[in-house]
Amino acid sequence: MIEPPEVPDIPRWIEAHGIAADPASWQRGLGAGRAVGSDSAQLVVLLGDPDPAAVAALAREVPHHTVLCAIERADLAAATGREVLRALLHTLPDADGLPTQDGALLLPDDAELTHLPEPLAEELAAARQRRPIWTAFLDGAPVAFAFAPWRSAAWFDVSVDTLPGARQLGLGRLVAAAMIRGERALGREPVWGADEGNLASLRLARSLGFVKVDELWVAV
């Protein structure tokens, strides 16, 4: 475990706090700032006031890691030399409107994931070792999934995936609501992040009552 990040526990820094809590994480000084990183998640978060040249060098060193930085620091996002996207962050001011979780259940330990695309199967296999995963079944197979990949003291991140053949059935909304209720019972509140071009995710967030509160740069 590395030092807690020198940033407040607010939605834009949930990944930084989550990475810092992972014993396998790492940190790197970058001039007046630093980076915290997770090799398993292939994710780096830039904190403080990093030197753009040091950011560029780090980005070359970890070419497959996504890099997050504050929306005010477009210069750091550009220094990575990557495609840069704007991520919109949302919170849920009123959870009373969440749908009931009828039809959603925790992913059984013996549930087969071989029917899933390999990246999703690998992500879920890793997540199920440390996080509850909520799922919905269709024709006897799990097809929609929701879990919290990152947690801080006050917040948890929402991750939802639905297989293409099971979309437009309300299953993503169902598992997301079930996961959110379960995590809120632990005393944390949800953060929904989505690239501004991910209209399906943004529509789902709005349908659950999420409202935009912040933005981040994402270099991929």
Side-chain angles (χ1 to χ4, degrees):
M1 183 181 300
I2 63 178
E3 299 175 24
E6 297 168 357
V7 292
D9 189 0
I10 58 176
R12 69 162 57 182
W13 300 127
I14 186 173
E15 288 90 354
H17 283 269
I19 289 172
D22 180 1
S25 62
W26 52 265
Q27 65 179 323
R28 176 81 58 84
L30 302 173
R34 63 173 171 149
V36 293
S38 167
D39 291 334
S40 60
Q42 294 191 318
L43 183 66
V44 174
V45 183
L46 303 179
L47 303 172
D49 186 21
D51 175 65
V55 170
L58 177 61
R60 290 191 296 269
E61 185 179 327
V62 289
H64 302 296
H65 288 46
T66 297
V67 180
L68 306 183
C69 70
I71 196 66
E72 298 83 6
R73 297 303 305 269
D75 61 321
L76 298 181
T80 66
R82 314 274 187 82
E83 178 186 4
V84 177
L85 308 172
R86 186 188 299 265
L88 309 182
L89 306 181
H90 306 71
T91 59
L92 185 64
D94 182 7
D96 291 341
L98 289 173
T100 62
Q101 61 192 54
D102 293 343
L105 67 157
L106 290 172
L107 183 67
D109 291 339
D110 59 352
E112 283 290 335
L113 303 178
T114 54
H115 64 294
L116 304 181
E118 186 174 348
L120 177 58
E122 292 177 352
E123 181 182 16
L124 294 174
R128 75 197 306 186
Q129 304 300 318
R130 55 191 179 89
R131 295 283 190 268
I133 299 175
W134 287 86
T135 190
F137 281 70
L138 183 66
D139 297 330
V143 295
F145 310 89
F147 69 100
W150 302 108
R151 288 172 173 161
S152 69
W155 304 95
F156 63 89
D157 191 32
V158 178
S159 177
V160 182
D161 286 284
T162 303
L163 297 187
R167 292 172 185 166
Q168 308 301 320
L169 300 176
L171 299 180
R173 190 168 186 266
L174 185 71
V175 296
M179 188 276 285
I180 291 167
R181 289 183 185 277
E183 291 288 332
R184 288 187 78 247
L186 301 176
R188 298 178 176 91
E189 292 297 324
V191 177
W192 191 295
D195 297 339
E196 61 182 345
N198 190 343
L199 300 183
S201 180
L202 295 173
R203 282 195 298 269
L204 179 53
R206 287 193 295 268
S207 77
L208 291 167
F210 281 84
V211 296
K212 178 177 171 285
V213 295
D214 206 350
E215 301 179 359
L216 278 176
W217 291 121
V218 182
V220 296

